[in-house]
Amino acid sequence: MRRILTLLTALVAFTSLVLGASIRDAVIDKILALKAKEFINAALVTEIVNSRNNFGYSGTFHAAYYDCRSKTYEATFNGWRVEQEDGDKPWQWNRYYYLRTLVVAKLKAQLHQGTALNDTYTQVRTDFVKALLTQPVEFRQNLLKTIKTGIQAFTFVQDKTYRDNFIAFIAIGDNNVMENKLSKMEAMLAKHKQAEEIVAYNETENEPVKVPAFTPLPDIDFAKFALRRQLEGGDVLTKKYLAVLKLAQADIEASLREPVKK
């Protein structure tokens, strides 16, 4: 009996391993075979606009990106299920991020080549407007506001002074300069340092980067996205995004002149 149970256990383990590998390979093969101009189609664009789970309420780049991401990953590897149902399992999160990285890398490599970004938007432009016309005016206004912020962001990052100041601004937050200084001061206090020593440390050590007359755009996530694209592909790539954003602006403004269609 024990031998039979052992054999059954081994069989189940082997079957799980084989099936798991097959599922894994199938999903990865699907991602590696993605063709941006085929994948980003009327059905996907309509689903994204209709979902507006987050973006319809907050009108920020992060929320819009989240909705796009959810539908995109759901269409490739059922990412919504992975994210929502299995998020409590560390190994599953690792897999999710792995697959997510593959999707972004695959689509980015295609969309950033030649005129692909513009061509891909152009082919779904009519369907995008049709989907917009089924949505409340408030949703379209929120989307327009975000698109205009994106146009500002991609315009600003072409200026070197702006880029340098923005990078310095980000570095302050990333390095937690102030937090580190406060932690050091707490440590000095624990070691019974004099107040004068703490003042001297604060004035001479780890001074934060000075960012002259710089205020980031209110939608910091969109500003960072634009900066990453500029650092990745310079003005050439930046202008590609800018052109598509301006097309989207014109389409959304046109939709706002039309009533909601049921």
Side-chain angles (χ1 to χ4, degrees):
M1 183 66 179
R2 182 176 298 176
R3 181 176 297 177
I4 293 173
L5 289 174
T6 301
L7 288 173
L8 286 173
T9 302
L11 180 61
V12 169
F14 176 75
T15 303
S16 299
L17 182 63
V18 171
L19 289 177
S22 299
I23 293 172
R24 178 201 63 200
D25 293 341
V27 172
I28 291 176
D29 287 344
K30 182 179 180 182
I31 293 173
L32 294 178
L34 282 179
K35 303 297 182 186
K37 289 184 181 180
E38 297 173 6
F39 180 70
I40 303 174
N41 54 32
L44 180 63
V45 168
T46 301
E47 279 192 52
I48 289 172
V49 173
N50 289 341
S51 66
R52 60 186 180 86
N53 297 317
N54 303 282
F55 182 66
Y57 299 100
S58 62
T60 64
F61 173 76
H62 178 77
Y65 178 77
Y66 191 97
D67 280 348
C68 291
R69 189 184 77 180
S70 296
K71 288 299 177 184
T72 300
Y73 299 159
E74 184 178 354
T76 49
F77 59 90
N78 201 13
W80 181 259
R81 184 192 64 78
V82 171
E83 189 173 359
Q84 296 299 316
E85 296 180 11
D86 298 329
D88 59 330
K89 301 175 183 177
W91 63 269
Q92 197 71 6
W93 269 113
N94 290 339
R95 174 171 168 73
Y96 168 72
Y97 283 116
Y98 168 53
L99 297 178
R100 188 175 84 172
T101 302
L102 291 181
V103 172
V104 173
K106 188 66 182 178
L107 293 178
K108 226 174 44 158
Q110 297 174 61
L111 292 175
H112 291 179
Q113 294 299 314
T115 61
L117 191 65
N118 188 289
D119 294 344
T120 303
Y121 179 76
T122 299
Q123 75 179 6
V124 297
R125 198 174 175 184
T126 301
D127 301 289
F128 175 56
V129 174
K130 285 181 181 178
L132 283 178
L133 291 175
T134 66
Q135 301 304 316
V137 170
E138 182 183 4
F139 169 77
R140 287 180 261 171
Q141 289 173 334
N142 283 342
L143 183 55
L144 179 61
K145 180 181 177 182
T146 299
I147 293 297
K148 285 182 175 179
T149 299
I151 290 173
Q152 281 186 302
F154 277 95
T155 300
F156 290 173
V157 295
Q158 294 180 67
D159 180 80
K160 187 178 183 303
T161 301
Y162 175 88
R163 287 200 306 274
D164 291 344
N165 288 340
F166 191 19
I167 290 170
F169 176 83
I170 293 171
I172 293 175
D174 290 345
N175 295 329
N176 292 318
V177 173
M178 186 55 66
E179 183 179 332
N180 291 338
K181 290 188 74 171
L182 291 175
S183 297
K184 183 67 180 291
M185 291 177 195
E186 288 288 340
M188 292 176 73
L189 187 61
K191 293 178 181 179
H192 312 296
K193 299 294 184 179
Q194 298 297 313
E196 289 77 9
E197 292 179 85
I198 296 176
V199 169
Y201 163 74
N202 185 55
E203 292 178 348
T204 60
E205 297 294 329
N206 297 324
E207 284 297 323
V209 178
K210 296 293 190 302
V211 183
F214 178 75
T215 303
L217 290 171
D219 196 332
I220 189 71
D221 292 310
F222 214 155
K224 287 182 177 180
F225 179 82
L227 178 63
R228 289 195 297 272
R229 301 293 73 78
Q230 171 69 28
L231 297 177
E232 175 187 351
D235 287 350
V236 173
L237 182 57
T238 299
K239 288 176 180 177
K240 290 179 183 180
Y241 273 91
L242 201 51
V244 169
L245 286 169
K246 287 180 178 179
L247 288 178
Q249 177 185 3
D251 291 338
I252 299 166
E253 287 175 341
S255 81
L256 284 168
R257 293 191 286 269
E258 299 289 335
V260 176
K261 295 183 179 180
K262 301 296 183 182

